[in-house]
Every structure is written in C-alpha cells, then in structure tokens.
Amino acid sequence: GAGVSQSPRYKVAKRGQDVALRCDPISGHVSLFWYQQALGQGPEFLTYFQNEAQLDKSGLPSDRFFAERPEGSVSTLKIQRTQQEDSAVYLCASSQDRDRLLNSYGYTFGSGTRLTVV
Amino acid sequence: SQQGEEDPQALSIQEGENATMNCSYKTSINNLQWYRQNSGRGLVHLILIRSNEREKHSGRLRVTLDTSKKSSSLLITASRAADTASYFCATLRNSGNTPLVFGKGPRLSVIA
C-alpha cells in the first residue's frame, strides 16, 4: 500500500483482556519496528524485525508483550492480560533499508493504535 | 530509555517568524533524525543528518549537528500555521541492533 496501515485505530480493553494490534508495512520494506508512546512523551522502542526475524526485543516491557511477523510482511503485537499502564499509542514503522546503519530515508510511521485499558 | 532531550519544552511564535528547537543526546551516533507529529497522528520524517555532517538543508528546514557537544538544532524559517506540531529528534547508534531512540519532543504552536 501507499503507507503503513495500523488497525484498529482505537481499542478499549478491560483490564485482564488480551489484545492484538496489527501492522501492514509498506510493501517491500524489509525492516519493521514497534514503538509505544505515552501521552506527552516520545516513542519508546519495543521491538524490531528484519523480514521475519525478530532482531531486537529488548524494549518489550514484560513477558505479557509478544510480537510476530511470520511471513516477513504483516506484523502483530499481542498484549496478554492487559494492565492500565499498558494504555498508550502503539506505533508501527517500516523502513526499506536492510542495513540499519544505511538508513537514509528515515522510518515511515503508521497513525498508531490508541489502546485504553479500563 | 530516551536518549534525546529537546528544549524548549514548548514554543509559541507568530506566523512568519523562525523557530529553533534543540536536542541533546548521550552516546556515539551514526545519524540523527528529526520527525514531526501532528495531534493524534503518526510521525513524519523531516530530515536526516549523519555524524560526519555539520549542517543540512531541506526547504525551510535547517538542521545542524555538533558531535563534540552531542547536540543538534532544527531551524524552521518563515513558519506557517501548518507547522504547528510536536517535533522529535531521534538518534541511531553506531553499535548494536537498537533502532532509532527518540527524545521527548517540544510542542511548536504557530499563531496566524
């Protein structure tokens, strides 16, 4: 597609519920990133894929967070047993660069999924 | 953790004026990027400057990088109401696999 697409745009979950957030990157983009953005803050890195390989998941805050990209295109971020502190905007980005140090065009971000845990 | 710290926290100017935002970081970097975010939207890439560059221009944007002070500035000239947004700097380290690390981001308001 023309841009990075994320769904749903908004999600309200009851505490303890599991949620799944979807990201459709730009076709052909090798690298895919998930970030978490709290209100009034900058995005915080969660995890990074190169094709289907998860190269870095150091930013995932707990084992309740899980991400996958099984075919190297669409990615899903799953949060189990949601807590109120999980409320945030979850941003997905993609990049055409295979080598992260050769990144020349920056990342293309989706509009994000706003998760509210009540 | 957030590497870049921007100042000022918020900036309000009249349309037509110039706006300058600063960013500091802590580690050795490969490049530094500036992004804009309108309310409720994703981030839009504005400009990238590599560690061996000192200044870069793109339209009304001018970015400088001082690696000795570990700081960068973004200048927007002849501001427009449409420039109203939050601005973030992000750095890419030379080592490891970690992608872009973002700072907090000042809010720029351009008043028509």
Side-chain angles (χ1 to χ4, degrees):
Chain A
V4 177
S5 177
Q6 291 188 247
S7 61
R9 187 79 174 87
Y10 302 94
K11 176 69 179 178
V12 178
K14 291 185 178 179
R15 192 158 54 101
Q17 185 180 350
D18 297 349
V19 298
L21 312 180
R22 177 187 169 104
C23 173
D24 276 275
I26 292 175
S27 178
H29 274 197
V30 170
S31 300
L32 183 146
F33 314 89
W34 283 99
Y35 284 83
Q36 180 191 60
Q37 187 176 25
L39 189 65
Q41 302 294 316
E44 292 268 5
F45 169 70
L46 294 177
T47 187
Y48 157 45
F49 291 86
Q50 190 175 96
N51 295 310
E52 68 279 3
Q54 191 173 21
L55 297 190
D56 190 332
K57 56 181 181 179
S58 61
L60 296 176
S62 76
D63 59 7
R64 297 186 295 104
F65 286 71
F66 172 77
E68 60 183 5
R69 194 187 184 196
E71 297 178 359
S73 55
V74 171
S75 177
T76 304
L77 176 67
K78 297 179 180 178
I79 309 173
Q80 297 176 324
R81 306 180 303 281
T82 52
Q83 304 295 315
Q84 283 192 317
E85 62 262 29
D86 299 336
S87 295
V89 175
Y90 291 85
L91 295 166
C92 176
S94 68
S95 167
Q96 62 186 1
D97 301 296
R98 179 175 299 277
D99 183 336
R100 68 177 197 98
L101 292 182
L102 292 179
N103 177 251
S104 300
Y105 305 101
Y107 298 175
T108 303
F109 279 84
S111 294
T113 295
R114 181 178 296 277
L115 173 65
T116 303
V117 181
V118 297
Chain B
S1 62
Q2 294 180 344
Q3 175 167 282
E5 297 290 335
E6 281 94 338
D7 76 84
Q9 296 287 311
L11 181 61
S12 184
I13 60 174
Q14 296 289 326
E15 201 167 33
E17 294 181 338
N18 297 341
T20 299
M21 288 162 280
N22 303 303
C23 164
S24 62
Y25 58 92
K26 298 176 182 175
T27 65
S28 172
I29 63 170
N30 175 277
N31 67 65
L32 183 145
Q33 305 178 25
W34 284 89
Y35 286 78
R36 183 188 72 225
Q37 185 178 39
N38 293 93
S39 294
R41 310 299 298 177
L43 284 81
V44 174
H45 178 255
L46 295 177
I47 194 166
L48 180 154
I49 186 166
R50 298 199 178 277
S51 60
N52 61 353
E53 297 176 308
R54 292 296 167 258
E55 186 171 315
K56 205 162 183 180
H57 297 255
S58 176
R60 294 184 296 112
L61 305 179
R62 172 177 167 257
V63 65
T64 62
L65 179 65
D66 187 335
T67 52
S68 65
K69 295 181 180 178
K70 291 187 167 57
S71 67
S72 173
S73 67
L74 174 68
L75 169 68
I76 303 174
T77 60
S79 63
R80 305 167 182 169
D83 294 329
T84 295
S86 291
Y87 290 82
F88 298 92
C89 77
T91 52
L92 190 70
R93 296 181 189 179
N94 268 320
S95 59
N97 269 324
T98 306
L100 288 178
V101 175
F102 285 84
K104 186 175 178 180
R107 175 79 184 167
L108 173 66
S109 296
V110 181
I111 303 166

